[in-house]
Amino acid sequence: MDKLLIQGGSVLSGEVAMSGAKNAALPILCASLLSADPLELVNVPQLNDISTMLRLLGDMGVGVANDGADGLTLDGRGLNNPVASYEMVKTMRASILVLGPLVARCGEARVSLPGGCAIGARPVDQHIKGLQAMGAEVTVEQGYVHAKASRLKGARICTDMVTVTGTENLMMAACLAEGETIIENAAREPEVVDLANCLISMGARISGAGTDIIRIQGVEKLHGARHSIMPDRIETGTYLCAAAVTGGNVRLTRTSAAYLDSVVDKLMDAGCDVVVERDAIRLSAPPRLKAVSLRTAPYPAFPTDMQAQFMAINCVADGVATIRETIFENRFMHVSELMRLGANIQIEGNNAIVRGADKLEGATVMATDLRASASLIIAGLVARGETLIDRIYHLDRGYERIEEKLASLGASVRRVR
């Protein structure tokens, strides 16, 4: 099993390009199920989660063709198997995103309950509730969600909680439903907007994406389109944190600060100088950061997917920070691993109190989930000596060529077995 070996102490500097957003690409790949015409995509990141989704779509009869380094064409004309088996979806929760499109186009879907990172309960009940409101007959048996509908009907759906994948699933299903669907308490994340823009380019009639009320007027069918995946805001934030913790000076290209206000604000509070360009971000960091407290919440507030990275920089910052996690109940699993490096962290319920240490020491640590992996890299970059990170298959689910990109900025990091 691959591991990542980091020699701490390097200051990151230089320029590196960011990849397309995983959390936008996954639902957009599923949008190919809604049409018999080709969907051309560019800026698709090369990640394990993307490969898993493509295999799943291929099993269903979707044609997949590579168009260069970051391009794909998906052809849904051969869709003939509306089943997502447990073997295909057990490693990736985003697999549930095929449910809505399959019911909308095929009239039936049988989708295994998903797996993925063990960072807390992420139930699919809101997906089921929404489809039932649209007239689907849904049962859950033997670990599978089985949904049927001759044609979905427009409905008013108010989710009990803000759910990104739930909003995406129901929005895709509503595109081919009869009449108008209104999703209230909808997720406002930029990735939801990117999916909506792709669907609109395919002929969907959607308004309100990016707000908490989305309206969809159903159409008879969708056509092919070409769409470019948005930049990955979480990858961007992770590299900004990596540069910040080392006192670095970097320029990240092919990205945007438009979706990163809360993250940029916290980096500036920590003492960093951040310059926003049209499609790039520059960051210069002081020799030592100031501790910054934060509270995670749905977009546009501070993202839960950046909590672990900021915990890592607070481990060596000047002062004491309180981190409050409100999204996932198990998202402090990286704390024990950071403490192996010498971090001073105290957990009180869903709060973590982090007291900045003068130094961290390299050690062998284990990644527990995708963003926890990133936090260990950030800590390893500033720790004295060698840090060996085990179980980095989590990283390959969400960060494209991370060791190569970090090395291009001057980090001493390599993949070992």
Side-chain angles (χ1 to χ4, degrees):
M1 188 179 294
D2 284 0
K3 302 175 178 64
L4 215 57
L5 183 63
I6 301 171
Q7 180 70 45
S10 299
V11 175
L12 300 194
S13 64
E15 182 174 297
V16 68
M18 297 292 95
S19 302
K22 178 193 83 145
N23 289 339
L26 289 171
I28 287 171
L29 292 176
C30 295
S32 66
L33 295 167
L34 291 166
S35 175
D37 296 336
L39 176 61
E40 298 177 38
L41 301 174
V42 295
N43 204 31
V44 181
Q46 296 183 29
L47 303 167
N48 284 354
D49 273 9
I50 299 296
S51 299
T52 299
M53 184 64 80
L54 291 175
R55 289 197 302 273
L56 176 59
L57 294 173
D59 277 0
M60 295 175 178
V62 176
V64 180
N66 290 315
D67 302 328
D70 64 359
L72 290 172
T73 296
L74 304 175
D75 189 343
R77 80 183 76 179
L79 177 62
N80 59 9
N81 179 34
V83 177
S85 70
Y86 172 73
E87 285 304 313
M88 288 302 301
V89 309
K90 64 183 178 181
T91 61
M92 186 178 65
R93 289 181 183 267
S95 309
I96 195 65
L97 286 165
V98 303
L99 179 63
L102 286 175
V103 178
R105 182 163 167 223
C106 301
E108 184 174 9
R110 190 166 181 268
V111 179
S112 172
L113 292 170
C117 284
I119 58 172
R122 290 189 275 188
V124 300
D125 59 323
Q126 300 303 301
H127 305 241
I128 293 171
K129 173 186 171 182
L131 289 174
Q132 287 174 329
M134 297 167 72
E137 178 186 333
V138 186
T139 58
V140 180
E141 51 193 9
Q142 297 180 324
Y144 281 79
V145 179
H146 189 193
K148 285 180 163 184
S150 55
R151 186 182 182 189
L152 296 172
K153 308 289 185 183
R156 176 180 171 271
I157 302 166
C158 184
T159 59
D160 296 335
M161 65 190 73
V162 176
T163 162
V164 175
T165 55
T167 298
E168 292 166 339
N169 227 340
L170 298 175
M171 183 168 64
M172 286 190 282
C175 288
L176 297 181
E178 181 181 344
E180 181 182 60
T181 299
I182 301 172
I183 304 174
E184 299 181 2
N185 200 27
R188 300 165 59 188
E189 270 72 2
E191 293 81 8
V192 174
V193 178
D194 202 33
L195 171 62
N197 289 338
C198 177
L199 293 168
I200 290 168
S201 70
M202 296 170 68
R205 298 172 62 191
I206 301 171
S207 62
T211 75
D212 60 357
I213 299 178
I214 301 176
R215 296 177 181 270
I216 307 103
Q217 298 288 341
V219 298
E220 289 291 331
K221 66 176 183 177
L222 298 182
H223 52 68
R226 180 178 174 85
H227 181 79
S228 179
I229 306 293
M230 66 175 282
D232 195 317
R233 62 192 174 104
I234 304 302
E235 181 194 34
T236 299
T238 299
Y239 279 86
L240 291 174
C241 286
V245 80
T246 66
N249 187 329
V250 299
R251 181 172 183 264
L252 308 184
T253 62
R254 293 184 60 181
T255 189
S256 172
Y259 321 115
L260 280 170
D261 286 347
S262 61
V263 171
V264 169
D265 286 348
K266 290 297 180 183
L267 286 167
M268 294 176 70
D269 289 345
C272 297
D273 181 30
V274 181
V275 177
V276 175
E277 302 176 17
R278 188 171 67 88
D279 59 356
I281 305 174
R282 293 180 180 270
L283 178 139
S284 298
R288 190 177 189 191
L289 301 172
K290 293 179 286 187
V292 289
S293 295
L294 59 92
R295 177 183 183 275
T296 66
Y299 186 86
F302 192 91
T304 182
D305 278 354
M306 285 300 304
Q307 176 257 105
Q309 296 89 315
F310 267 78
M311 185 178 289
I313 67 176
N314 276 323
C315 287
V316 291
D318 183 22
V320 180
T322 299
I323 296 176
R324 184 174 178 83
E325 174 60 55
T326 73
I327 307 297
F328 295 123
E329 69 272 19
N330 290 346
R331 209 160 203 179
F332 283 152
M333 291 192 295
H334 47 281
V335 168
S336 59
E337 300 303 305
L338 289 171
M339 291 174 69
R340 284 180 54 79
L341 300 174
N344 185 344
I345 306 170
Q346 180 181 352
I347 301 297
E348 297 180 358
N350 62 343
N351 294 312
I353 296 92
V354 187
R355 293 173 172 84
D358 290 334
K359 60 183 176 64
L360 299 179
E361 297 285 351
T364 298
V365 291
M366 180 178 68
T368 54
D369 62 67
L370 173 56
R371 306 309 173 185
S373 306
S375 76
L376 296 176
I377 288 178
I378 291 168
L381 288 171
V382 76
R384 294 184 182 179
E386 288 187 345
T387 297
L388 183 66
I389 305 175
D390 201 355
R391 293 177 63 181
I392 63 166
Y393 59 84
H394 291 292
L395 273 174
D396 296 329
R397 293 182 48 236
Y399 290 97
E400 183 177 25
R401 298 182 294 106
I402 190 167
E403 69 273 23
E404 295 177 30
K405 290 186 179 185
L406 286 171
S408 74
L409 296 174
S412 177
V413 52
R414 61 190 175 91
R415 190 172 293 240
V416 299
R417 289 192 178 273

